[in-house]
Each structure stands twice: as structure tokens, then as C-alpha cells.
Amino acid sequence: MTIMQRVFWLIATLGNIIALSLYVNQSSVASTLLLAFTLGYTAIGSYDLYISPHTLNKLYPVVAYLRYFLESYRVEIQQYFIANDTEEKPFNREQRSLVYQRAKNVRDTIAFGTQRDLLEENYLSLWHSLSPKHLSDDVKRITIGGPDCIQPYDAAYLNISAMSFGSLSANAIEALNLGAKHAGCYHNTGEGGASPYHLKHGGDIVWQIGSGLFGCRTDDGRFNPVTFEKMAAKPQIKMIEIKLSQGAKPGHGGVLPKAKITHEIAMIRHIPMDKDCVSPAVNPECTTPIALLQFVKTLRELSGGKPVGFKLCIGNPAEFLAICKAMLETNILPDFITIDGAEGGTGAAPVEFSNRLGMVCLEGVYFVHNALVGVGLRDKIKLIASGKTASSFDLLAKVAMGADVVNAARTMMLAMGCIQSRHCNTNQCPTGIATQDPARSHAIDVESKSERVKNFQQNTLKSFYELVGSMGLDNPNQLTPNMLKRRSPYGLLISSGSLVAPLAHNALLTGHTQDSAWTTWWQQCSAVQFYCEDTYVLTPAEFKPPHEC
């Protein structure tokens, strides 16, 4: 027997006898409570010993529940009492505090110096200028819309990334959209479609068309041009985004657990309520690079010439180059491309997919930027970066690596009051943000939370413009990857980049590439299919021939 099994038998026998004797002889409150305790302990312990399927309960009757109780609060205990300000994931206390402070319009400065190890390997930093500049208002918006776009859109540098109604509650969606309206930025609907809550307050909308085609699908899950055209005609919808993949789970369709599917969500998405809503891994209208671009053209025409683009997490580089080849062959260009980083994700995702697939945002942006330069199309297509943006430095780093504008999702949730409890996939979000439980979600005050979203967006942008100016620049478009410094394993600062060399204008078309990786990927890819065999062996720069470094 284990010690706790012996304790159980001691309480079940001798303990009950003593408690019953005291109760009969004294009949006091104390004796009543003691008897209730021993009887309750005996009942629970008997269940654990003879009925419970759990080994721990059998070996440690009754007290095993103490472990389960403490384990249920492990994340909170770690977050509040153990972790320091800079070690938590995905957002540490320093990052969350910064978001909360800027959302509340309170002091966001720190005292007594940095807590970061500035000599840490891979630590990112910037070099400032002795001639700081002030940025004028006319460089604080980016126009999105290529040669075939009739209704271009002027976007802010920081916007609200894709979060669906269903993944988030109605009040949370309303607060985000009203916040977008006040802040002058756009709000991406996520793949769940443009719900009434996205449209209620009049904030600018980017309508995302996911692989489930929610909001514009037929009964059999194919594209419905009639319902699309009707929704896309709304003046509030400024851009259309086709979702190919997302950073949290690239190569896997979106997942909305059935616990979060209400009758209203089922009606909006045109899905059943009795099972998880799992979108296809592949958009049925975009099975090849050429088909993707034909779909871009179709949506642009049906929407009356609004900007249309697509979103993806970069995986095999050759497969993105296949899209570039298709652009050249069809002469159909997206107005924008959203690069989702592997570090992103607000909802449910398989652990292996979330942890192990895809390029991180900075690498993906750097690659896509150079690929478009290499085929001579960079000036016609805007790049949107999405992935873990908590500070103005995070925003600046993405722009420096090649992005035109940036989307943020989780930090917008933090601005509304998210506490990073990581219960987004359980329908038990303690703050009412990522849940469909009406008792929880109704606690969100739309007006006050929208103000916090606006404050976070505007205060982050204010800091971003100051940071750009501190580098001696008067326009964010002057940022380049070499300005972002990374601490090397040897303790020295190097300019940020990638294992692949940057490309010159039209380098892929003329064959003047300095890196054999680009040449191999370009030769491998085809406009008629996405898949390319991953055969190129990436090697560190110190092992490459001199002409490739």
C-alpha cells in the first residue's frame, strides 16, 4: 500500500468510529463537521480505490485531486508568481504590460535601464542617428492597389489582423471594429466571413475568403459569385483577402471547435452545429498558381475593382516562386500579399503544426520581398506582414525586412483585456474575448474596449514614427534590412538577412543571381502546380563559395 492508501483506511475505519462517537456523545458543531469530513473522505476514497479509471486516484485516494486542482492553475501560477518579466511565451510580461499601458493611455516608460541581455545571441537592435528627423503626416499612410485596381485603399501602418466571429465573441468583434474606425485602420474579418458584428460600427473591413469560403459558399462548399458580389459591394469592405494558409497551422484548415458554434455562427458560415468546423487545407478555387490568380481576377471584377490579395505562411520557397511565374505568364497581379509568420495564431491549432511548420514572419517577409524584386514586380504589389507585433520595434523590424504595412491580432486582444490564459480553444476564455459563452462575452463593454484598441494602435504608431525618425529617416519606406542589427554567435553585430542573398531588380529573369538557392528554386517551380520537391541543401554562409556570400 502507498502511504495515502494507509491514510484512507485509517480514516475510513478508526476515523469514522471516533467521529461517530464524538457526534453521538457531544453533538457539537465541531463533531458534526468532523463526522462529515470522515464520511466524505471515505466516500470519495472508496470511489477512487474501486471505481476511478485513473491510476493516481487509486494509488493516492482523495489527495490526488489536489494535484489536479493545482495543475488546472499551472499557467496562472507560472504567469503571476514564477516567471520574470522577459521569459514567458508567446508574450512575456514586459510585452503584455507595454500593450496594456498603451491601451490605457498611461505611462509606458521603464526606469533603471533595460532588463534585456543586449549581448544575447540573435538579439535585434538598431543604430540611431545624431540627426533625428520628424515624420510628416503625408508619409503615414500606404496606398494599396495595383494597376488593375479601380478602388485603391489608403492603409495605416498598423492594422487589426484576421480574427473571426466564432473564434472571438460578438462583443469582442464589435470592439475591434469600432476601435478600427476610431483609429483609422482596417479590420480583417478572419475566415469566418463578414458577420453583422464586423459591419455594425462602420470600421474599414478587409473581407477574408478562407478555404471554407464562408459568406460566399454554395451548399456543397464551392464559391458562390452572387452572394460574394452582394457582400463585396458594401462600401465598408475596402479589400478582399484570399487565405491560402495561416501561420498558426500552415498546411491545415482552420478549426472552430463545435463548443463554440452557435446557431448564429452556423447560419453565417452555412455549416452544421454538431461537429468541429474544419476548413479544407486547400482552397477549392485555388488549387494551382494559375487558378489562384484567376480567382484574384474574378474577385476583383465582382467587387468593382477593389484591392484583392492573398495570405499565406511561407514554406517551401520554390512554391511561392511558382506563384511569381504564374503572375508573369498570366499578367494577373494581386494588389497585396499578406505574409503570416509561423509564430502567429489566435485560435485552435495542432501542436506539431503550430510549433514546427513554416517560416517566421521576418524570414517570410524578407523572402517574398526579394522574390518580387527578382521578377520585377515589387513596385506593383504591396506586402502586409502578420506575426507577433507588440511594440513599435516589432513593427519597424517587419517594415525594414520588406513589409509595407503590418497586421496585429493577439496584441489587439491584449489591448481589449486578454490575459494570455491560453483558453482560446475551450470556449472558457476568462475575459469573454475568445468565447461564445454569453455570460462571459456580455461582460465586454464595446465602447471602452474599442477605445483601448484605438489607443494601443495610435500610441504604437506614435512610437514607431519616433523610432524611424531617431534613425535619421523621414519616411518608413527608407528602412532596409541592413539597418536591423543582429547579435551573431561570435558576439559581433551583423546586418539582418537570410541564408539566401538579396536579389537585384529582375535578377531571376536575367539569371544574374549570386545565390544558387534562388537559381535552383526558380528552375524547380512551375506555374501549373504548387508542389515542388524540397531538394536544395541550405548551408551557413561560412561554408558557401565566396561568390555566393
Side-chain angles (χ1 to χ4, degrees):
M1 283 190 191
T2 65
I3 293 177
M4 295 315 303
Q5 286 174 331
R6 291 192 178 98
V7 169
F8 164 74
W9 285 116
L10 185 65
I11 293 176
T13 54
L14 185 60
N16 278 324
I17 292 172
I18 295 173
L20 182 61
S21 175
L22 290 173
Y23 177 77
V24 171
N25 294 326
Q26 297 181 8
S27 189
S28 63
V29 173
S31 63
T32 302
L33 292 175
L34 178 62
L35 180 61
F37 169 76
T38 58
L39 290 175
Y41 197 101
T42 302
I44 296 171
S46 298
Y47 170 83
D48 289 345
L49 278 175
Y50 299 110
I51 301 176
S52 175
H54 302 296
T55 303
L56 280 178
N57 293 71
K58 292 179 184 295
L59 293 174
Y60 309 98
V62 183
V63 295
Y65 293 104
L66 181 61
R67 177 191 183 274
Y68 300 142
F69 174 78
L70 293 175
E71 187 179 45
S72 69
Y73 288 97
R74 179 185 177 279
V75 173
E76 289 80 3
I77 293 171
Q78 176 81 14
Q79 184 179 115
Y80 296 134
F81 304 112
I82 299 175
N84 66 34
D85 285 351
T86 60
E87 69 181 8
E88 282 184 274
K89 304 293 183 184
F91 292 90
N92 60 44
R93 171 60 62 180
E94 181 184 72
Q95 291 170 317
R96 298 200 309 277
S97 295
L98 179 64
V99 175
Y100 296 147
Q101 289 160 350
R102 287 181 171 167
K104 296 175 182 178
N105 254 347
V106 299
R107 184 178 64 245
D108 61 358
T109 55
I110 61 173
F112 219 65
T114 180
Q115 296 187 62
R116 300 300 185 99
D117 178 5
L118 303 188
L119 299 178
E120 178 186 19
E121 184 177 332
N122 284 323
Y123 189 84
L124 297 177
S125 61
L126 304 168
W127 285 352
H128 66 284
S129 169
L130 290 177
S131 179
K133 299 290 194 304
H134 174 77
L135 275 64
S136 60
D137 290 341
D138 59 358
V139 301
K140 296 181 179 179
R141 307 287 293 189
I142 295 292
T143 301
I144 301 177
D148 298 321
C149 177
I150 300 173
Q151 303 184 54
Y153 175 71
D154 287 341
Y157 269 96
L158 180 61
N159 304 277
I160 301 173
S161 193
M163 290 177 280
S164 303
F165 171 56
S167 177
L168 267 59
S169 66
N171 281 26
I173 293 294
E174 284 193 42
L176 288 172
N177 191 255
L178 185 57
K181 181 179 181 179
H182 293 327
C185 67
Y186 65 70
H187 175 199
N188 191 305
T189 66
E191 69 171 303
S195 72
Y197 308 105
H198 286 98
L199 302 170
K200 181 175 179 179
H201 296 285
D204 291 348
I205 286 292
V206 175
W207 181 18
Q208 185 182 99
I209 310 296
S211 57
L213 301 170
F214 303 125
C216 57
R217 61 186 267 139
T218 60
D219 290 339
D220 59 354
R222 297 307 298 264
F223 178 63
N224 187 331
V226 176
T227 53
F228 173 83
E229 186 173 15
K230 181 179 179 181
M231 179 63 74
K234 293 182 180 294
Q236 187 179 345
I237 293 180
K238 304 298 183 182
M239 301 196 295
I240 315 294
E241 180 181 81
I242 304 164
K243 194 194 87 169
L244 300 181
S245 62
Q246 64 184 97
K249 42 185 175 286
H252 193 289
V255 179
L256 180 64
K258 67 179 180 180
K260 298 175 76 170
I261 301 176
T262 64
H263 177 71
E264 183 179 29
I265 292 170
M267 294 293 292
I268 292 172
R269 295 195 178 202
H270 201 68
I271 56 172
M273 294 179 60
D274 59 350
K275 59 182 179 180
D276 293 347
C277 176
V278 181
S279 303
V282 178
N283 191 309
E285 306 299 325
C286 308
T287 55
T288 68
I290 289 178
L292 165 63
L293 296 176
Q294 293 291 352
F295 195 45
V296 167
K297 181 180 180 181
T298 297
L299 298 189
R300 190 185 287 129
E301 291 172 351
L302 290 173
S303 66
K306 291 181 179 180
V308 177
F310 57 86
K311 166 185 171 178
L312 79 168
C313 178
I314 300 297
N316 186 340
E319 296 187 358
F320 180 80
L321 291 178
I323 300 176
C324 294
K325 273 192 177 177
M327 293 179 197
L328 297 173
E329 290 187 16
T330 63
N331 200 30
I332 301 173
L333 305 181
D335 296 291
F336 64 91
I337 298 172
T338 303
I339 301 99
D340 209 14
E343 68 273 33
T346 58
V351 173
E352 296 86 352
F353 281 71
S354 189
N355 287 349
R356 302 295 179 181
L357 289 184
M359 288 190 192
V360 298
C361 190
L362 291 184
E363 291 175 343
V365 169
Y366 178 88
F367 170 78
V368 172
H369 167 77
N370 277 286
L372 294 177
V373 170
V375 295
L377 297 176
R378 181 63 182 90
D379 61 330
K380 298 179 176 63
I381 301 171
K382 293 294 189 289
L383 297 186
I384 303 173
S386 177
K388 202 173 180 182
T389 301
S391 68
S392 59
F393 177 80
D394 298 334
L395 171 57
L396 185 147
K398 294 174 178 63
V399 175
M401 294 299 275
D404 293 292
V405 300
V406 174
N407 289 349
R410 288 173 292 179
T411 46
M412 295 296 178
M413 293 169 63
L414 291 171
M416 286 193 292
C418 167
I419 60 173
Q420 194 173 276
S421 68
R422 294 185 287 170
H423 288 105
C424 309
N425 59 333
T426 66
N427 203 37
Q428 295 177 356
C429 170
T431 60
I433 295 172
T435 179
Q436 297 306 311
D437 180 349
R440 298 170 187 257
S441 61
H442 287 169
I444 296 177
D445 182 83
V446 173
E447 289 288 340
S448 64
K449 298 304 183 185
S450 70
E451 191 68 14
R452 289 180 56 163
V453 170
K454 180 205 76 171
N455 291 340
F456 168 68
Q457 192 264 1
Q458 293 194 338
N459 287 330
T460 303
L461 281 182
K462 178 183 177 183
S463 176
F464 167 68
Y465 298 134
E466 291 176 347
L467 205 55
V468 172
S470 73
M471 300 169 67
L473 310 177
D474 55 18
N475 194 323
N477 67 13
Q478 297 169 334
L479 290 164
T480 56
N482 65 284
M483 297 177 184
L484 194 62
K485 312 301 181 187
R486 185 184 298 271
R487 184 69 62 179
S488 78
Y490 311 108
L492 303 176
L493 282 180
I494 58 175
S495 294
S496 289
S498 171
L499 284 174
V500 292
L503 291 178
H505 182 71
N506 276 340
L508 287 173
L509 304 184
T510 61
H512 294 150
T513 58
Q514 296 181 338
D515 195 317
S516 60
W518 288 109
T519 303
T520 302
W521 293 330
W522 185 247
Q523 291 172 348
Q524 277 185 318
C525 68
S526 167
V528 299
Q529 68 175 27
F530 284 117
Y531 178 75
C532 293
E533 192 173 357
D534 186 6
T535 58
Y536 185 81
V537 179
L538 286 171
T539 55
E542 54 263 39
F543 296 119
K544 290 185 178 182
H547 69 277
E548 291 189 19
C549 295

